[in-house]
Coordinates of all heavy atoms in Angstrom, one line a residue:
M281 N -236.5 -44.2 194.7 CA -235.1 -44.8 194.7 C -235.0 -45.9 193.6 O -235.8 -46.8 193.6 CB -234.8 -45.3 196.1 CG -233.4 -45.9 196.2 SD -233.1 -46.5 197.8 CE -232.8 -48.2 197.5
A282 N -234.1 -45.8 192.8 CA -233.9 -46.8 191.7 C -233.0 -47.9 192.2 O -232.0 -47.6 193.0 CB -233.3 -46.2 190.5
V283 N -233.3 -49.1 191.8 CA -232.4 -50.3 192.2 C -231.6 -50.6 191.0 O -232.1 -50.8 189.9 CB -233.3 -51.5 192.6 CG1 -232.5 -52.7 192.8 CG2 -234.2 -51.2 193.7
K284 N -230.3 -50.7 191.1 CA -229.4 -51.1 190.0 C -229.5 -52.6 189.9 O -229.7 -53.3 190.8 CB -228.0 -50.7 190.3 CG -227.8 -49.2 190.3 CD -226.4 -48.8 190.5 CE -226.3 -47.3 190.5 NZ -224.9 -46.9 190.7
S285 N -229.3 -53.1 188.6 CA -229.5 -54.5 188.3 C -228.5 -55.4 189.2 O -228.9 -56.5 189.5 CB -229.4 -54.8 186.9 OG -228.2 -54.2 186.3
Q286 N -227.4 -54.9 189.5 CA -226.4 -55.7 190.3 C -226.8 -55.8 191.7 O -226.3 -56.6 192.4 CB -225.0 -55.2 190.1 CG -224.7 -53.9 190.8 CD -224.5 -52.8 189.8 OE1 -225.1 -52.8 188.7 NE2 -223.6 -51.9 190.1
E287 N -227.8 -55.0 192.2 CA -228.3 -55.1 193.5 C -229.5 -56.1 193.7 O -229.9 -56.3 194.8 CB -228.8 -53.7 194.0 CG -227.6 -52.7 194.1 CD -228.1 -51.3 194.3 OE1 -229.3 -51.1 194.4 OE2 -227.3 -50.4 194.4
L288 N -229.9 -56.7 192.6 CA -231.1 -57.6 192.6 C -230.6 -59.0 193.2 O -229.5 -59.4 193.1 CB -231.6 -57.8 191.2 CG -232.2 -56.6 190.5 CD1 -232.6 -56.9 189.1 CD2 -233.4 -56.1 191.3
V289 N -231.6 -59.7 193.7 CA -231.4 -61.0 194.2 C -230.9 -61.9 193.0 O -231.4 -61.7 191.9 CB -232.7 -61.6 194.8 CG1 -232.6 -63.1 195.1 CG2 -233.2 -60.8 196.0
P290 N -229.9 -62.7 193.2 CA -229.4 -63.5 192.1 C -230.5 -64.3 191.4 O -231.4 -64.9 192.0 CB -228.4 -64.5 192.7 CG -228.0 -63.8 193.9 CD -229.1 -63.0 194.4
G291 N -230.5 -64.2 190.0 CA -231.6 -64.9 189.2 C -232.7 -64.0 188.8 O -233.4 -64.3 187.9
T292 N -232.9 -62.8 189.5 CA -234.0 -61.9 189.3 C -233.8 -61.3 187.9 O -234.8 -61.2 187.1 CB -234.1 -60.8 190.3 OG1 -234.2 -61.5 191.6 CG2 -235.3 -59.9 190.1
L293 N -232.6 -60.9 187.5 CA -232.4 -60.2 186.2 C -232.7 -61.2 185.1 O -233.4 -60.9 184.1 CB -231.0 -59.7 186.1 CG -230.7 -58.9 184.8 CD1 -231.7 -57.8 184.5 CD2 -229.3 -58.4 184.8
E294 N -232.3 -62.5 185.3 CA -232.5 -63.5 184.3 C -234.0 -63.7 184.1 O -234.5 -63.8 183.0 CB -231.9 -64.8 184.6 CG -230.4 -64.8 184.4 CD -229.6 -64.3 185.6 OE1 -230.1 -63.6 186.5 OE2 -228.3 -64.5 185.6
M295 N -234.8 -63.7 185.2 CA -236.2 -63.9 185.2 C -236.9 -62.7 184.4 O -237.8 -62.9 183.6 CB -236.8 -64.0 186.6 CG -238.3 -64.2 186.6 SD -239.1 -63.7 188.1 CE -238.6 -62.0 188.2
L296 N -236.4 -61.5 184.7 CA -237.0 -60.3 184.1 C -236.7 -60.3 182.6 O -237.5 -59.9 181.8 CB -236.4 -59.1 184.7 CG -236.9 -58.8 186.1 CD1 -236.0 -57.6 186.7 CD2 -238.3 -58.4 186.2
V297 N -235.5 -60.8 182.2 CA -235.1 -60.9 180.8 C -236.0 -61.9 180.1 O -236.5 -61.6 179.0 CB -233.6 -61.2 180.6 CG1 -233.3 -61.6 179.2 CG2 -232.7 -60.1 181.1
L298 N -236.2 -63.1 180.7 CA -237.0 -64.1 180.1 C -238.5 -63.6 179.9 O -239.1 -63.8 178.9 CB -237.0 -65.4 180.9 CG -235.6 -66.1 180.8 CD1 -235.6 -67.3 181.8 CD2 -235.3 -66.6 179.4
R299 N -239.0 -62.9 181.0 CA -240.3 -62.4 180.9 C -240.4 -61.4 179.8 O -241.4 -61.4 179.0 CB -240.7 -61.8 182.2 CG -242.0 -61.1 182.3 CD -243.1 -62.1 182.2 NE -244.4 -61.4 182.2 CZ -245.3 -61.4 181.3 NH1 -245.1 -62.1 180.2 NH2 -246.4 -60.8 181.4
T300 N -239.4 -60.5 179.6 CA -239.4 -59.5 178.5 C -239.4 -60.2 177.2 O -240.2 -59.9 176.3 CB -238.2 -58.6 178.7 OG1 -238.4 -57.9 180.0 CG2 -238.2 -57.6 177.6
L301 N -238.6 -61.2 177.0 CA -238.4 -61.9 175.7 C -239.7 -62.8 175.4 O -239.9 -63.1 174.3 CB -237.2 -62.8 175.7 CG -235.9 -62.0 175.6 CD1 -234.7 -62.9 175.7 CD2 -235.8 -61.1 174.4
S302 N -240.5 -63.0 176.4 CA -241.7 -63.8 176.1 C -242.7 -62.9 175.3 O -243.6 -63.4 174.6 CB -242.4 -64.2 177.4 OG -243.0 -63.1 178.1
L303 N -242.4 -61.6 175.2 CA -243.2 -60.7 174.4 C -242.7 -60.7 172.9 O -243.5 -60.3 172.0 CB -243.1 -59.3 174.9 CG -243.6 -59.1 176.4 CD1 -243.2 -57.7 176.8 CD2 -245.0 -59.4 176.5
G304 N -241.5 -61.2 172.7 CA -241.0 -61.3 171.3 C -239.5 -61.0 171.3 O -238.9 -60.7 172.3
R305 N -238.9 -61.1 170.1 CA -237.5 -60.9 169.9 C -237.1 -59.5 170.2 O -237.8 -58.6 169.8 CB -237.2 -61.3 168.4 CG -235.9 -61.1 167.9 CD -235.8 -61.5 166.5 NE -235.9 -60.4 165.6 CZ -234.9 -60.0 164.7 NH1 -233.9 -60.8 164.6 NH2 -235.1 -59.0 164.0
M306 N -236.0 -59.3 170.9 CA -235.5 -58.0 171.2 C -234.0 -57.9 171.3 O -233.3 -59.0 171.5 CB -236.0 -57.5 172.6 CG -237.4 -56.9 172.6 SD -237.7 -56.3 174.2 CE -239.4 -56.9 174.3
H307 N -233.4 -56.8 171.0 CA -231.9 -56.6 171.3 C -231.7 -56.1 172.7 O -232.7 -55.8 173.4 CB -231.3 -55.6 170.2 CG -232.0 -54.3 170.1 ND1 -232.0 -53.4 171.1 CD2 -232.7 -53.8 169.1 CE1 -232.6 -52.3 170.7 NE2 -233.1 -52.5 169.5
G308 N -230.5 -56.2 173.1 CA -230.1 -55.9 174.5 C -230.6 -54.5 175.0 O -231.2 -54.5 176.1
Y309 N -230.5 -53.5 174.2 CA -230.9 -52.2 174.6 C -232.4 -52.2 174.8 O -232.9 -51.6 175.8 CB -230.5 -51.1 173.6 CG -230.9 -49.7 174.0 CD1 -230.2 -49.0 175.0 CD2 -231.9 -49.1 173.3 CE1 -230.6 -47.7 175.4 CE2 -232.3 -47.8 173.7 CZ -231.7 -47.1 174.7 OH -232.0 -45.9 175.1
G310 N -233.1 -52.8 173.9 CA -234.6 -52.9 174.0 C -235.0 -53.6 175.2 O -236.0 -53.3 175.9
I311 N -234.3 -54.7 175.6 CA -234.6 -55.5 176.8 C -234.5 -54.6 178.0 O -235.4 -54.5 178.9 CB -233.7 -56.7 176.9 CG1 -234.0 -57.7 175.8 CG2 -233.9 -57.4 178.3 CD1 -233.0 -58.8 175.7
A312 N -233.4 -53.9 178.1 CA -233.1 -53.0 179.2 C -234.2 -51.9 179.3 O -234.7 -51.6 180.4 CB -231.7 -52.3 179.1
Q313 N -234.5 -51.3 178.2 CA -235.5 -50.2 178.2 C -236.9 -50.7 178.6 O -237.6 -50.1 179.4 CB -235.6 -49.6 176.8 CG -234.4 -48.8 176.4 CD -234.2 -47.6 177.3 OE1 -235.0 -46.8 177.5 NE2 -233.0 -47.6 177.9
H314 N -237.2 -51.9 178.2 CA -238.5 -52.5 178.5 C -238.6 -52.8 180.1 O -239.6 -52.4 180.7 CB -238.8 -53.8 177.8 CG -240.1 -54.5 178.2 ND1 -241.3 -54.0 177.7 CD2 -240.3 -55.5 179.0 CE1 -242.3 -54.7 178.3 NE2 -241.7 -55.7 179.0
I315 N -237.5 -53.3 180.6 CA -237.5 -53.6 182.1 C -237.6 -52.3 182.8 O -238.4 -52.2 183.8 CB -236.3 -54.4 182.5 CG1 -236.4 -55.8 181.9 CG2 -236.1 -54.5 184.0 CD1 -235.1 -56.6 182.0
E316 N -236.9 -51.3 182.4 CA -236.9 -50.0 183.1 C -238.3 -49.4 183.0 O -238.8 -48.9 184.0 CB -235.8 -49.1 182.6 CG -234.4 -49.6 183.0 CD -233.3 -48.7 182.5 OE1 -233.5 -47.6 181.9 OE2 -232.1 -49.2 182.6
R317 N -238.9 -49.4 181.8 CA -240.2 -48.8 181.6 C -241.3 -49.5 182.4 O -242.1 -48.8 183.0 CB -240.5 -48.8 180.1 CG -241.7 -48.0 179.7 CD -241.9 -47.9 178.2 NE -241.8 -49.2 177.5 CZ -240.8 -49.7 176.7 NH1 -239.8 -48.9 176.5 NH2 -240.9 -50.9 176.2
T318 N -241.3 -50.8 182.3 CA -242.4 -51.5 183.0 C -242.2 -51.5 184.6 O -243.2 -51.8 185.3 CB -242.5 -53.0 182.6 OG1 -241.2 -53.7 182.7 CG2 -242.9 -53.1 181.1
S319 N -241.0 -51.2 185.0 CA -240.8 -51.1 186.5 C -241.0 -49.6 186.9 O -240.7 -49.3 188.1 CB -239.4 -51.6 186.9 OG -238.4 -50.7 186.5
A320 N -241.4 -48.8 186.0 CA -241.6 -47.3 186.3 C -240.2 -46.7 186.7 O -240.1 -45.9 187.6 CB -242.7 -47.1 187.3
D321 N -239.2 -47.2 186.0 CA -237.8 -46.7 186.3 C -237.3 -47.0 187.7 O -236.3 -46.4 188.2 CB -237.7 -45.2 186.0 CG -237.7 -44.9 184.5 OD1 -237.3 -45.7 183.7 OD2 -238.3 -43.9 184.2
V322 N -237.9 -48.0 188.4 CA -237.4 -48.4 189.7 C -236.2 -49.3 189.5 O -235.2 -49.3 190.3 CB -238.5 -49.2 190.5 CG1 -238.0 -49.8 191.7 CG2 -239.7 -48.2 190.8
I323 N -236.2 -50.2 188.5 CA -235.0 -51.0 188.2 C -234.2 -50.5 187.0 O -234.8 -50.3 186.0 CB -235.5 -52.5 187.8 CG1 -236.3 -53.1 189.0 CG2 -234.3 -53.4 187.5 CD1 -236.9 -54.4 188.7
R324 N -233.0 -50.2 187.3 CA -232.1 -49.7 186.3 C -231.2 -50.8 185.8 O -230.4 -51.4 186.6 CB -231.2 -48.6 186.8 CG -231.9 -47.4 187.3 CD -232.3 -46.5 186.1 NE -233.0 -45.4 186.5 CZ -233.5 -44.5 185.7 NH1 -233.3 -44.6 184.4 NH2 -234.1 -43.4 186.2
V325 N -231.3 -51.2 184.5 CA -230.5 -52.3 184.0 C -229.2 -51.8 183.4 O -229.3 -51.0 182.4 CB -231.3 -53.1 183.0 CG1 -230.5 -54.3 182.5 CG2 -232.6 -53.6 183.6
E326 N -228.1 -52.1 183.9 CA -226.8 -51.7 183.4 C -226.2 -52.7 182.5 O -226.4 -53.9 182.7 CB -225.9 -51.4 184.6 CG -226.4 -50.3 185.5 CD -225.6 -50.0 186.7 OE1 -224.6 -50.8 187.0 OE2 -225.9 -49.1 187.4
K327 N -225.5 -52.2 181.5 CA -224.8 -53.1 180.5 C -224.0 -54.2 181.2 O -223.9 -55.3 180.8 CB -224.0 -52.4 179.5 CG -224.9 -51.5 178.5 CD -224.1 -51.0 177.4 CE -222.9 -50.2 177.8 NZ -222.2 -49.5 176.6
G328 N -223.3 -53.8 182.2 CA -222.4 -54.7 182.9 C -223.1 -55.8 183.6 O -222.4 -56.8 184.0
S329 N -224.4 -55.7 183.8 CA -225.2 -56.8 184.4 C -226.0 -57.5 183.3 O -226.1 -58.7 183.4 CB -226.1 -56.3 185.4 OG -225.4 -55.7 186.5
L330 N -226.5 -56.8 182.4 CA -227.4 -57.3 181.3 C -226.7 -58.3 180.4 O -227.2 -59.5 180.3 CB -228.1 -56.2 180.5 CG -229.0 -56.7 179.4 CD1 -230.2 -57.5 179.9 CD2 -229.4 -55.6 178.5
Y331 N -225.6 -58.0 179.9 CA -225.0 -58.8 178.9 C -224.4 -60.1 179.5 O -224.5 -61.2 178.9 CB -224.0 -58.1 178.0 CG -224.7 -57.1 177.1 CD1 -224.8 -55.7 177.4 CD2 -225.4 -57.6 176.0 CE1 -225.6 -54.9 176.6 CE2 -226.2 -56.7 175.2 CZ -226.2 -55.4 175.5 OH -227.0 -54.5 174.8
P332 N -223.8 -60.1 180.7 CA -223.4 -61.4 181.3 C -224.7 -62.2 181.6 O -224.6 -63.5 181.4 CB -222.7 -60.9 182.6 CG -222.2 -59.6 182.3 CD -223.3 -59.0 181.4
A333 N -225.8 -61.6 182.0 CA -227.0 -62.4 182.2 C -227.5 -63.0 180.9 O -227.9 -64.2 180.9 CB -228.1 -61.5 182.8
L334 N -227.4 -62.3 179.8 CA -227.8 -62.8 178.5 C -226.9 -64.0 178.1 O -227.4 -65.0 177.5 CB -227.9 -61.7 177.4 CG -229.0 -60.8 177.5 CD1 -228.8 -59.5 176.7 CD2 -230.3 -61.5 177.1
E335 N -225.6 -63.9 178.4 CA -224.7 -64.9 178.0 C -225.0 -66.2 178.9 O -224.9 -67.3 178.3 CB -223.2 -64.5 178.2 CG -222.7 -63.5 177.2 CD -222.8 -64.1 175.8 OE1 -222.4 -65.3 175.6 OE2 -223.2 -63.4 174.9
R336 N -225.3 -66.0 180.1 CA -225.7 -67.2 181.0 C -226.9 -67.9 180.4 O -227.0 -69.1 180.3 CB -225.9 -66.7 182.4 CG -224.6 -66.4 183.2 CD -224.9 -66.2 184.6 NE -225.8 -65.1 185.0 CZ -225.4 -63.9 185.2 NH1 -224.1 -63.5 185.0 NH2 -226.2 -62.9 185.5
L337 N -227.9 -67.1 180.0 CA -229.1 -67.6 179.4 C -228.9 -68.3 178.1 O -229.5 -69.4 177.8 CB -230.2 -66.5 179.2 CG -230.8 -66.0 180.5 CD1 -231.6 -64.7 180.3 CD2 -231.6 -67.0 181.2
L338 N -227.9 -67.8 177.3 CA -227.5 -68.4 176.0 C -226.9 -69.8 176.3 O -227.2 -70.8 175.7 CB -226.6 -67.5 175.3 CG -227.1 -66.5 174.4 CD1 -226.1 -65.5 174.0 CD2 -227.8 -67.1 173.1
R339 N -225.9 -69.8 177.2 CA -225.2 -71.1 177.6 C -226.2 -72.1 178.1 O -226.0 -73.3 177.9 CB -224.1 -70.8 178.6 CG -222.9 -70.2 177.9 CD -221.7 -70.3 178.9 NE -221.9 -69.6 180.2 CZ -221.7 -68.4 180.4 NH1 -221.3 -67.5 179.5 NH2 -221.9 -67.9 181.6
A340 N -227.2 -71.7 178.9 CA -228.2 -72.6 179.4 C -229.2 -73.1 178.4 O -230.0 -74.0 178.7 CB -228.9 -72.0 180.6
G341 N -229.2 -72.4 177.2 CA -230.2 -72.8 176.2 C -231.5 -72.2 176.4 O -232.5 -72.6 175.7
H342 N -231.7 -71.2 177.2 CA -233.0 -70.5 177.5 C -233.3 -69.4 176.4 O -234.4 -69.0 176.3 CB -233.0 -70.0 178.9 CG -232.9 -71.0 179.9 ND1 -233.6 -72.2 180.0 CD2 -232.1 -71.1 181.0 CE1 -233.3 -72.9 181.0 NE2 -232.3 -72.3 181.6
V343 N -232.2 -68.9 175.8 CA -232.4 -68.0 174.7 C -231.5 -68.3 173.5 O -230.5 -69.0 173.7 CB -232.2 -66.5 175.2 CG1 -233.1 -66.1 176.3 CG2 -230.7 -66.3 175.6
T344 N -231.8 -67.8 172.4 CA -230.9 -67.9 171.2 C -230.6 -66.4 170.8 O -231.3 -65.5 171.2 CB -231.6 -68.6 170.0 OG1 -232.8 -67.9 169.6 CG2 -231.9 -70.0 170.4
A345 N -229.6 -66.3 170.0 CA -229.2 -64.9 169.6 C -228.8 -64.9 168.1 O -228.3 -65.9 167.6 CB -228.0 -64.4 170.4
K346 N -229.2 -63.9 167.4 CA -228.8 -63.7 166.0 C -228.6 -62.3 165.7 O -229.3 -61.4 166.2 CB -230.0 -64.2 165.2 CG -229.8 -64.2 163.7 CD -231.0 -64.7 162.9 CE -230.7 -64.6 161.4 NZ -231.9 -65.0 160.6
W347 N -227.5 -62.0 164.9 CA -227.2 -60.7 164.5 C -228.1 -60.2 163.4 O -228.5 -61.0 162.5 CB -225.7 -60.6 164.0 CG -224.7 -60.7 165.1 CD1 -224.1 -61.8 165.5 CD2 -224.3 -59.7 166.1 NE1 -223.3 -61.5 166.6 CE2 -223.4 -60.2 166.9 CE3 -224.7 -58.3 166.2 CZ2 -222.8 -59.5 168.0 CZ3 -224.1 -57.6 167.2 CH2 -223.2 -58.2 168.1
D348 N -228.6 -59.0 163.5 CA -229.5 -58.4 162.5 C -229.3 -56.9 162.5 O -228.5 -56.4 163.3 CB -230.9 -58.8 162.9 CG -231.8 -58.8 161.7 OD1 -231.4 -58.3 160.6 OD2 -233.0 -59.3 161.8
I349 N -230.0 -56.2 161.7 CA -229.9 -54.7 161.6 C -231.1 -54.1 162.4 O -232.3 -54.5 162.2 CB -230.0 -54.2 160.2 CG1 -228.8 -54.9 159.4 CG2 -229.9 -52.7 160.1 CD1 -227.4 -54.5 159.9
S350 N -230.8 -53.2 163.3 CA -231.9 -52.6 164.1 C -232.6 -51.5 163.2 O -232.1 -51.2 162.1 CB -231.3 -51.9 165.3 OG -230.6 -50.7 164.9
P351 N -233.8 -51.0 163.7 CA -234.5 -50.0 163.0 C -233.7 -48.7 162.7 O -233.9 -48.0 161.8 CB -235.7 -49.7 163.9 CG -235.9 -50.9 164.7 CD -234.5 -51.5 164.9
T352 N -232.6 -48.5 163.5 CA -231.8 -47.3 163.3 C -230.6 -47.6 162.3 O -229.8 -46.7 162.1 CB -231.2 -46.9 164.7 OG1 -230.4 -47.9 165.2 CG2 -232.2 -46.4 165.6
G353 N -230.6 -48.8 161.8 CA -229.6 -49.2 160.8 C -228.3 -49.7 161.4 O -227.3 -50.0 160.7
R354 N -228.3 -49.9 162.7 CA -227.1 -50.5 163.3 C -227.2 -52.0 163.5 O -228.3 -52.5 163.6 CB -226.9 -49.9 164.7 CG -226.5 -48.4 164.7 CD -226.3 -48.0 166.1 NE -225.6 -46.7 166.0 CZ -225.3 -46.0 167.1 NH1 -225.6 -46.4 168.3 NH2 -224.6 -44.9 167.0
R355 N -226.0 -52.6 163.5 CA -226.0 -54.1 163.7 C -226.3 -54.3 165.2 O -225.7 -53.7 166.0 CB -224.6 -54.6 163.3 CG -224.5 -56.0 163.2 CD -223.2 -56.4 162.5 NE -223.0 -57.8 162.5 CZ -222.1 -58.5 163.2 NH1 -221.2 -57.8 163.9 NH2 -222.0 -59.8 163.2
A356 N -227.2 -55.2 165.5 CA -227.5 -55.5 166.8 C -227.8 -57.0 167.0 O -228.2 -57.7 166.1 CB -228.8 -54.8 167.3
R357 N -227.5 -57.5 168.2 CA -227.7 -59.0 168.4 C -229.1 -59.1 169.0 O -229.4 -58.5 170.1 CB -226.7 -59.5 169.4 CG -226.6 -61.0 169.5 CD -225.4 -61.3 170.3 NE -225.2 -62.8 170.2 CZ -224.4 -63.4 171.0 NH1 -223.6 -62.8 171.9 NH2 -224.2 -64.7 170.9
Y358 N -230.0 -59.8 168.4 CA -231.4 -60.0 168.8 C -231.5 -61.3 169.5 O -231.0 -62.3 169.1 CB -232.3 -60.0 167.6 CG -232.6 -58.6 167.1 CD1 -231.7 -57.9 166.3 CD2 -233.7 -57.9 167.6 CE1 -232.0 -56.6 165.9 CE2 -234.0 -56.6 167.2 CZ -233.1 -56.0 166.3 OH -233.4 -54.7 165.9
Y359 N -232.2 -61.3 170.7 CA -232.4 -62.5 171.5 C -233.8 -62.9 171.4 O -234.8 -62.1 171.3 CB -232.1 -62.1 173.0 CG -230.6 -61.7 173.1 CD1 -230.2 -60.4 173.0 CD2 -229.6 -62.6 173.4 CE1 -228.9 -60.0 173.1 CE2 -228.3 -62.3 173.5 CZ -228.0 -60.9 173.4 OH -226.6 -60.6 173.4
T360 N -234.0 -64.3 171.4 CA -235.3 -64.9 171.4 C -235.4 -66.0 172.5 O -234.4 -66.7 172.6 CB -235.6 -65.6 170.0 OG1 -235.4 -64.6 169.0 CG2 -237.0 -66.1 169.9
I361 N -236.5 -66.0 173.2 CA -236.6 -67.1 174.2 C -236.9 -68.4 173.5 O -237.5 -68.5 172.4 CB -237.8 -66.7 175.2 CG1 -237.8 -67.6 176.4 CG2 -239.1 -66.8 174.4 CD1 -238.7 -67.1 177.5
T362 N -236.4 -69.5 174.1 CA -236.6 -70.8 173.6 C -237.6 -71.5 174.4 O -238.1 -71.0 175.4 CB -235.3 -71.7 173.7 OG1 -234.9 -71.8 175.1 CG2 -234.1 -71.0 173.0
A363 N -238.0 -72.7 174.0 CA -239.0 -73.5 174.7 C -238.6 -73.8 176.2 O -239.4 -73.7 177.1 CB -239.3 -74.8 174.0
S364 N -237.3 -74.0 176.4 CA -236.9 -74.3 177.8 C -236.8 -73.0 178.6 O -236.7 -73.1 179.9 CB -235.5 -74.9 177.8 OG -234.5 -74.0 177.3
G365 N -236.8 -71.8 178.0 CA -236.8 -70.6 178.7 C -238.1 -70.2 179.2 O -238.3 -69.5 180.2

């Protein structure tokens, strides 16, 4: 049974995002894929939960974001963990 990201205990998604970003800079889709892959697809991260969580982390100063070009040639916003994150 897969758990949707909106069913997680508050703060869990943010913790998972920060743990993922501790590995290096990633865009939103990469973050979601990493969480799903490392949870053996038990946790499903939906865009409607991920991007608001990333915005909360940005406002709190736990991550930074910068637009760049992805390996597929598309423009993507890349997130990096900060020292406070």
Side-chain angles (χ1 to χ4, degrees):
M281 179 177 123
V283 176
K284 293 182 179 179
S285 50
Q286 68 250 36
E287 296 171 358
L288 296 173
V289 174
T292 303
L293 181 56
E294 285 87 346
M295 179 203 60
L296 291 170
V297 168
L298 290 172
R299 175 69 179 118
T300 299
L301 290 175
S302 72
L303 302 172
R305 178 179 98 119
M306 277 186 221
H307 53 68
Y309 181 75
I311 294 168
Q313 291 299 303
H314 178 76
I315 292 170
E316 290 177 12
R317 188 173 53 251
T318 57
S319 73
D321 290 324
V322 172
I323 299 173
R324 298 281 180 183
V325 181
E326 298 175 353
K327 290 190 306 188
S329 298
L330 177 63
Y331 291 102
L334 285 165
E335 286 300 317
R336 286 190 296 275
L337 290 168
L338 274 165
R339 281 194 305 273
H342 299 310
V343 299
T344 60
K346 183 179 178 184
W347 288 99
D348 206 348
I349 303 298
S350 73
T352 60
R354 291 184 162 176
R355 191 167 176 248
R357 197 169 186 194
Y358 281 82
Y359 298 88
T360 305
I361 192 169
T362 64
S364 70

